[in-house]
Structures are given as structure tokens and as C-alpha cells.
Amino acid sequence: MDFKTLCIHGNEVKYDDTGSIIVPIFQTATFAHPGVGQSTGYDYSRVQNPTREHLEKTIARLESGFDAMAFSSGMAAITALMEMFSPGDHIIASDDLYGGSHRLFYNISAKNGLTFDLVNTSDVSQIESYIRPQTKALFIETPTNPMMQVTDIALVSRIAKSRNLLLIVDNTFLTPYFQKPIELGADIVIHSGTKYLGGHNDTLAGFLVVANDQLAERLRFIYKTTGACLSPFDSWLLIRGIKTLAVRMERQQENAYQLAQWLSRHSKVKKVYFVGLATHPDYEVSKRQSTGFGAMISFEVRDEETVKDVLERVALIQYAESLGGVESLITYPVMQTHADVPEEQREAKGINGRLLRLSVGLEAVEDLIADLEQALGV
């Protein structure tokens, strides 16, 4: 079945007999038992709920996974994932991580005995040099947030399998429409469902998608025990959002490509980070492992005064922290998404006071360009 069709009909299980085209919102905390030792298949909504199950089965099919778990946020999903590991375990992660992941690793997971090394995972030799007996997993974002570095998933998968390590891939920026990490060898895929999967800036969600039954069993136990499951109503919002995922991703990517080209020519813009530009150093890797480039752009302007001008002058584009929705949003990483990353580490990656991140939405690209043009000035 084609991906576009799966977005709409990803789970064909019927949960009621009314003929409803849309899966109902089963807004219940618990379910009655038909008799002693008997179950309808649903007992308590923290463990499973029909609306959430519909969503999870759809996501699993879209990602070519064995199972998927829907969480109350992307960070809730990563927090549960960290419970797979024990004190003393070591994880190698991309050094250009979403700031929330960095904050979790070094303020919560480290307190619980886990250790981390952050490396440029687009350079495979760096990964290999940091592997040690205690290493249990490789955790990569690709493209990374906000510097848009790309990691060769299939190549890193071969390293992980040769060393008996889990390969975990955050696929939030590209979604399964443009990139399928499990088909490239990943064991676990992460999503902030708040972003492109939901697509409308109206709810929080997170996902873990696993490649096999053993991982599903381990994470399902953690999931029901820690309890950060997605509510029935929010599950329904994600189901609705996913129906238009394919058409949204295509249009947003088209807009982003035109904006990236325009920004590249502007006198006040020093550098543009967009995977879809042929000048991007990882362009060929992206073409090999993905069917598209997404709609995220970071760009560096010539001074911090220009940053202030842009953030205070944009009118159509909104200065807000998030991404992936139909509305275009602009973010200032050093004060928002990456404020908790130590300054020395930020600067080393190019996340400086002149960097802006743009999530390109569905507005007419001519209007977006006009808005940036007046905000940047001459």
C-alpha cells in the first residue's frame, strides 16, 4: 500500500459497529471485564486504549516497525527509553542534539548513572574511537537540530551490529515520509509527534517505534510502568494530523527550498544550513538514504542586531519555539531550544548568537519571502 494511503488507512481495525469513518475517541480511564479472568483486550487506558492503539499501529506501519508506543511528549518518549539502560552504561550520541535531549542526558540520566559521549556522528571514525566495553547504544539525530548535519544511517548500523549496540535514530525532522531508519538498520526510532506528525501546533506527543518483538516487550513494560502514555483525545488529534502528512511534507519542502535559495543570496545572511541545497556537505548522503530533505532551515546572519531586528519585525512568521506545523515559526536557539547547552559546546557547533532556525510552513512562499525581506531590511 502506498505511503499516502497508509497515512489515511494505516490501521484498518474497526473499534465500533456504527460505521463511523473516523476512529472514535474512547475517553475512558478503565474498561469493564466480561467475567472473572476475562478481558475485552483493554483493561486500563495507561496500558492501552483503542484510540491510541489505532494511532500506534498506523505509526508502526509508516515506519516499517514491529510496534510503536505513543507518549505524552517527545521528551517523555526519550525518558522512557533511557530506562532500558543501567548505571554504568555508556551511550554515544550526536553532538548537535536537540537541547532538551542534552538537558535530559546530563541532568537526569547522568544522575542515574548513565554516561555519554557526544560526537559528530556524520564522521564514522569518531563513533568507532569512542566505543568501549560499557557502550550500549548509538543515539543519532539526522538531520541534526539545529545545524542540519546528516549521518549515514546504514553505515552506522553496520558498526552498531558488529559491536552488538542498539542504534537509536531521532527521525523527527524528516518523518517516515522522507526517511525510514528501520529499513536502513535502526533498532529504535524516536519522534516528537508534536512536530510534523501532528502538524498543526495544537498538541504534544512522542513516539518510540521498535524493529522487533524483544524490544517491544521491554519497552511496553517500561511504558505501562512509568505511565507517560498519550491521552485518547491527543491520540485522535495525531490520527487526524497524519492523514495529511504526505501532502504537507511535500509542500513545506517546496517552500523551504525556495526560501533557502533566497536566503543564500541575501546580503545580511552569512550562511544557510539546509540539507536540500547541493552545496550542503551531506547532500549526497541525504539523497542516498532519504526521499526528501524536509522543511527545516537554519541560517546565520551577520550580527546579533540583525537577529533582534528579524525576531521583532516578522509578522507572518511567528517567533515561537517548535517546528513542523502548518504555520511558519522562527526560533533563536541560544535563548530557546539550546539555552541549557553550555556556551562553549554551543559555540563549537556554530550555535552562536547570530543563528536562527526556521520551520517553514504552508503559507504562500511569496508571502514568507516578503515577510523575511522586510524583517531583514536592506
Side-chain angles (χ1 to χ4, degrees):
M1 193 179 290
D2 185 83
F3 188 96
K4 299 179 183 69
T5 306
L6 283 176
C7 286
I8 299 168
H9 302 284
N11 177 22
E12 297 172 343
V13 176
K14 299 298 182 184
Y15 293 94
D16 73 338
D17 57 6
T18 66
S20 173
I21 298 299
I22 305 301
V23 64
I25 302 172
F26 288 87
Q27 193 64 49
T28 182
T30 192
F31 301 84
H33 296 281
V36 177
Q38 299 178 41
S39 172
T40 62
Y42 306 97
D43 301 314
Y44 193 63
S45 277
R46 172 164 43 82
V47 179
Q48 192 52 286
N49 176 283
T51 313
R52 189 168 77 244
E53 182 181 65
H54 179 98
L55 170 64
E56 290 175 341
K57 288 183 179 296
T58 299
I59 290 291
R61 291 188 72 183
L62 293 177
E63 278 286 8
S64 301
F66 178 83
D67 191 16
M69 284 141 272
F71 291 81
S72 56
S73 70
M75 290 312 304
I78 300 174
T79 299
L81 176 62
M82 289 299 106
E83 293 298 328
M84 290 183 65
F85 303 104
S86 301
D89 286 350
H90 173 245
I91 298 170
I92 297 170
S94 300
D95 61 356
D96 182 32
L97 279 176
Y98 166 57
S101 300
H102 188 285
R103 182 171 58 242
L104 173 71
F105 291 170
Y106 284 96
N107 292 278
I108 305 298
S109 302
K111 170 182 66 67
N112 295 335
L114 305 187
T115 61
F116 298 86
D117 274 310
L118 304 183
V119 306
N120 181 355
T121 53
S122 62
D123 181 352
V124 174
S125 64
Q126 287 196 36
I127 297 174
E128 293 182 304
S129 68
Y130 278 89
I131 295 174
R132 55 184 194 242
Q134 298 81 15
T135 306
K136 302 298 181 184
L138 307 178
F139 184 110
I140 65 175
E141 284 184 10
T142 184
T144 59
N145 181 5
M147 302 308 294
M148 310 301 163
Q149 295 174 333
V150 176
T151 296
D152 188 326
I153 298 171
L155 182 57
V156 174
S157 172
R158 290 197 287 273
I159 295 171
K161 285 176 169 51
S162 70
R163 302 298 189 93
N164 197 30
L165 306 176
L166 286 174
L167 176 57
I168 302 161
V169 179
D170 188 324
N171 197 29
T172 297
F173 273 16
L174 291 188
T175 82
Y177 183 65
F178 284 140
Q179 181 171 269
K180 293 181 180 289
I182 288 175
E183 293 183 2
L184 294 167
D187 299 294
I188 300 172
V189 173
I190 299 167
H191 283 281
S192 172
T194 309
K195 312 304 193 293
Y196 289 104
L197 295 180
H200 291 79
N201 289 321
D202 57 7
T203 191
L204 301 179
F207 294 95
L208 295 178
V209 188
V210 296
N212 58 58
D213 58 344
Q214 293 91 349
L215 288 170
E217 183 177 1
R218 290 175 66 187
L219 280 166
R220 281 281 173 194
F221 179 82
I222 293 168
Y223 184 53
K224 74 175 182 180
T225 302
T226 55
C229 59
L230 192 63
S231 74
F233 182 68
D234 287 332
S235 296
W236 184 86
L237 286 174
L238 265 291
I239 292 166
R240 185 183 65 169
I242 288 168
K243 289 179 185 292
T244 59
L245 175 64
V247 291
R248 285 188 285 105
M249 294 301 293
E250 286 286 355
R251 174 62 182 274
Q252 285 172 268
Q253 176 179 246
E254 290 174 14
N255 282 355
Y257 181 68
Q258 292 186 57
L259 268 175
Q261 289 184 310
W262 181 84
L263 285 166
S264 298
R265 298 189 294 267
H266 199 283
S267 61
K268 288 191 176 181
V269 176
K270 290 181 62 178
K271 190 166 185 179
V272 175
Y273 302 88
F274 176 61
V275 181
L277 293 176
T279 54
H280 191 285
D282 302 318
Y283 180 74
E284 292 301 325
V285 175
S286 295
K287 282 179 38 177
R288 185 167 64 247
Q289 72 181 13
S290 309
T291 57
F293 305 108
M296 294 301 301
I297 303 170
S298 290
F299 62 100
E300 183 181 347
V301 296
R302 67 187 185 191
D303 53 48
E304 292 190 25
E305 189 60 33
T306 302
V307 167
K308 183 179 178 183
D309 288 343
V310 170
L311 295 178
E312 293 184 351
R313 290 177 182 173
V314 285
L316 182 65
I317 300 168
Q318 297 174 79
Y319 174 23
E321 186 170 353
S322 194
L323 60 99
V326 296
E327 299 90 359
S328 294
L329 303 179
I330 194 164
T331 300
Y332 191 27
V334 297
M335 291 185 65
Q336 294 177 292
T337 56
H338 291 70
D340 291 328
V341 177
E343 182 178 2
E344 183 178 343
Q345 292 183 35
R346 289 200 311 258
E347 291 284 341
K349 293 303 300 178
I351 307 171
N352 55 45
R354 301 178 302 279
L355 187 77
L356 292 164
R357 192 193 72 186
L358 179 62
S359 171
V360 183
L362 287 177
E363 300 92 344
V365 70
E366 296 82 4
D367 292 330
L368 295 174
I369 289 173
D371 194 29
L372 282 174
E373 188 167 33
Q374 63 82 24
L376 280 163
V378 180

